[in-house]
Amino acid sequence: MFHSLRSALCAAAAALLLPLAGAHTAHAATTPAAAAAPGAGYWHTSGRQILDAAGQPVRIAGVNWFGFETSNQVVHGLWSRDYRSMIDQMRSLGYNTIRLPYSDDILKPGAVPNSIDFSGGKNADLQGLTSLQVLDKIVAYAGQDGLKVILDRHRPDAGGQSALWYTSSVPESTWMADLKTLATRYLGQDTVIGIDLHNEPHDPACWGCGDTSVDWRLAAERAGNAVLSVNPNLLIFVEGVQSYNGVSGWWGGNLMGVAQYPVRLNVANRLVYSAHDYATSVAQQSWFSDPSFPANMPGIWDTYWGYIFKQNIAPVWLGEFGTTLQPTVDQKWLSALVSYLRPTSTYGADSFQWTFWSWNPDSGDTGGILKDDWVTVDTVKDGYLTSIKAPLFPGSGGGGSGGGGGGGTAASCSASYAVSSDWGSGFNADVTVTNTGSTALTSWKVTWTWSGAQKVTNMWNASYTQSGATVTAVNAAQNGTVPAGSSVSFGFGGAPGGGGVPSVSCTAR
């Protein structure tokens, strides 16, 4: 996205480009009951849907966590928190996928991250690692937590965005070699479900013009087939361009050319088209001032990219969308967009895929799900995304469980407690509340007592009180209602670590 970070790096250029640029720079965790949790194995497409290895439809509902594409050469925020704490919090909020932007700089020999805080045991297992090795750690932990990862070739280098997939210093050959390197690196690790080939192609990039130096559709075919030649299991995510047949829009957001010039890959059922869409906090567009706004927006989205989904051509992933949510027009835009993306409770996985921009608060154009302290959740912004969140996927993590509230004929619940990370001086844990009765819960309370001196330091998706070693957590406003057989989650940080897993009880209220 065309976010604040890029703006800070090249403010003058951004000021000139912003009117046409794309941006760079959700609440309760929902887990519908199912015979088997969707998402296992590698994924493939069928018409407009994405299916897991067992043929079950899945929905990408996630966030962008940027930083590997910047001079830090690592995701941002590790100067404040442990990386596992971040991923645990994403999971507890109900996000199931992380889009990780990167630049080709991280594949250069000796590329190492900077601005990571190792004090107090934070990020201890990242010390001395290269940027790629840190990426390995993030992928592995995300998979353990039940999240999927999409790698996003965001920039040729840390200096800034590029209109085309190559520059004078990073030729197409390097781009394709690096894509193949990453595809090979994660061969057999189905946490990485695919690669977004290049972020936000824009003018002079064209779609279907036939000039191989600027035709993004042809370049995407070359690169997609190169990736599939070494890892045929991956999904290939192809963004749009800026302009097609004289119609201009967001960078990467114009997929009008797909109707006449579809992307052709050598492996069937691997293609997902991707669009970006933003609000006025990023740039003005003509449709925002239309007298019919926001009723005009579904038609705009249909024209640029929605028709691909609606005509069952291929899945469509809104890889970036975001806003500061400050102007009223932006609030109306996000409300309309969430409705257009199809609420999960109504459409399930027969929906648009999405990853919100961004998890990071340091995107100047949009802000993030986290506030500036890198801990507190912007519950208003996150709350807009509640209806389009989707189930988490099977992970490799585990945890203890405790029961409460019995059984099956009235309002009742059980709770499970899992320590997701422990670095000695602190830890993170997730608690999952499951409705074990036959009627919907309207609210719930979870209680546990530690055997040691542990204290809750922060909690998300629930409120709490602590008296001595006993903690009582009560649902937040947005996740108190739990249908029979379904679950919601909340998470928290605590200190010190090493406390083990206490028994937990759940009371329906």
Side-chain angles (χ1 to χ4, degrees):
M1 118 162 192
F2 189 83
H3 50 37
S4 65
L5 195 65
R6 181 176 68 181
S7 300
L9 290 171
C10 43
L16 292 172
L17 293 171
L18 190 57
L20 291 178
H24 207 47
T25 302
H27 192 120
T30 57
T31 310
Y42 280 108
W43 296 357
H44 61 281
T45 69
S46 177
R48 69 189 191 183
Q49 290 192 288
I50 300 177
L51 309 179
D52 67 9
Q56 297 185 96
V58 292
R59 185 178 198 181
I60 296 167
V63 290
N64 286 267
W65 187 12
F66 67 81
F68 275 110
E69 84 283 17
T70 72
S71 59
N72 298 106
Q73 298 192 119
V74 71
V75 287
H76 286 180
L78 302 191
W79 53 68
S80 295
R81 294 176 62 184
D82 186 272
Y83 75 98
R84 294 162 295 192
S85 170
M86 294 271 214
I87 297 171
D88 291 343
Q89 190 176 16
M90 293 174 193
R91 180 186 187 278
S92 74
L93 291 172
Y95 298 107
N96 63 23
T97 305
I98 310 171
R99 180 178 183 253
L100 290 174
Y102 73 89
S103 85
D104 292 71
D105 283 352
I106 70 167
L107 287 100
K108 293 179 178 179
V112 294
N114 58 75
S115 302
I116 299 178
D117 181 12
F118 299 110
S119 68
K122 290 193 295 291
N123 302 303
D125 59 339
L126 304 185
Q127 287 188 287
L129 300 187
T130 66
S131 293
L132 281 179
Q133 289 169 335
V134 173
L135 180 59
D136 293 342
K137 289 282 190 178
I138 290 172
V139 167
Y141 193 79
Q144 178 182 319
D145 253 8
L147 279 70
K148 295 293 189 179
V149 168
I150 299 170
L151 302 177
D152 157 45
R153 195 285 191 140
H154 209 74
R155 302 171 173 175
D157 57 55
Q161 302 298 110
S162 64
L164 301 173
W165 54 97
Y166 63 91
T167 63
S168 58
S169 59
V170 184
E172 178 174 308
S173 58
T174 298
W175 171 57
M176 292 179 64
D178 287 348
L179 288 169
K180 291 173 70 174
T181 294
L182 288 171
T184 302
R185 188 178 189 92
Y186 297 109
L187 183 65
Q189 298 186 51
D190 57 27
T191 295
V192 177
I193 56 170
I195 300 180
D196 188 342
L197 298 177
H198 178 62
N199 185 67
E200 293 183 350
H202 54 277
D203 297 346
C206 67
W207 190 288
C209 67
D211 181 345
T212 56
S213 68
V214 293
D215 192 330
W216 167 237
R217 176 253 197 166
L218 294 179
E221 292 178 348
R222 295 193 295 273
N225 286 326
V227 168
L228 293 171
S229 73
V230 297
N231 190 341
N233 301 304
L234 293 177
L235 295 175
I236 303 299
F237 296 91
V238 179
E239 297 188 28
V241 290
Q242 178 184 352
S243 303
Y244 181 77
N245 281 354
V247 180
S248 186
W250 298 111
W251 290 0
N254 190 332
L255 286 161
M256 295 169 66
V258 169
Q260 185 173 358
Y261 302 106
V263 170
R264 303 153 299 183
L265 298 177
N266 294 335
V267 181
N269 304 317
R270 295 294 183 273
L271 174 64
V272 178
Y273 290 105
S274 176
H276 291 182
D277 200 271
Y278 281 96
T280 62
S281 59
V282 171
Q284 283 289 340
Q285 298 280 9
S286 60
W287 43 80
F288 295 126
S289 56
D290 189 304
S292 65
F293 178 86
N296 63 320
M297 291 311 302
I300 297 291
W301 295 318
D302 283 350
T303 298
Y304 280 92
W305 44 269
Y307 76 94
I308 296 171
F309 173 86
K310 292 187 175 182
Q311 294 179 21
N312 203 38
I313 296 170
V316 176
W317 169 51
L318 196 59
E320 291 184 16
F321 64 106
T323 166
T324 59
L325 213 57
Q326 296 306 306
T328 300
V329 64
D330 286 26
Q331 297 165 16
K332 293 179 178 179
W333 165 84
L334 185 54
S335 179
L337 181 57
V338 165
S339 178
Y340 183 83
L341 294 177
R342 298 166 66 95
T344 303
S345 61
T346 303
Y347 300 102
D350 184 25
S351 303
F352 291 95
Q353 320 287 327
W354 60 272
T355 44
F356 188 75
W357 188 277
S358 62
W359 178 251
N360 309 45
D362 60 335
S363 175
D365 295 340
T366 65
I369 294 299
L370 294 185
K371 295 188 177 181
D372 288 343
D373 62 2
W374 283 95
V375 174
T376 306
V377 174
D378 185 331
T379 55
V380 176
K381 187 178 291 187
D382 183 63
Y384 271 85
L385 306 174
T386 300
S387 68
I388 54 172
K389 290 183 179 177
L392 290 160
F393 306 120
S396 58
S401 64
T409 59
S412 61
C413 58
S414 65
S416 63
Y417 176 120
V419 176
S420 52
S421 57
D422 191 322
W423 54 94
S425 61
F427 69 99
N428 287 292
D430 294 322
V431 178
T432 299
V433 176
T434 300
N435 183 344
T436 56
S438 59
T439 61
L441 300 180
T442 56
S443 62
W444 45 262
K445 176 178 70 175
V446 173
T447 303
W448 67 87
T449 300
W450 280 308
S451 59
Q454 283 71 33
K455 298 286 185 183
V456 175
T457 55
N458 63 305
M459 184 175 289
W460 46 91
N461 240 14
S463 58
Y464 75 96
T465 57
Q466 181 166 355
S467 177
T470 300
V471 178
T472 300
V474 177
N475 61 273
Q478 72 275 5
N479 65 348
T481 300
V482 187
S486 294
S487 301
V488 294
S489 298
F490 66 92
F492 65 91
V501 176
S503 295
V504 293
S505 63
C506 182
T507 303
R509 306 168 71 222

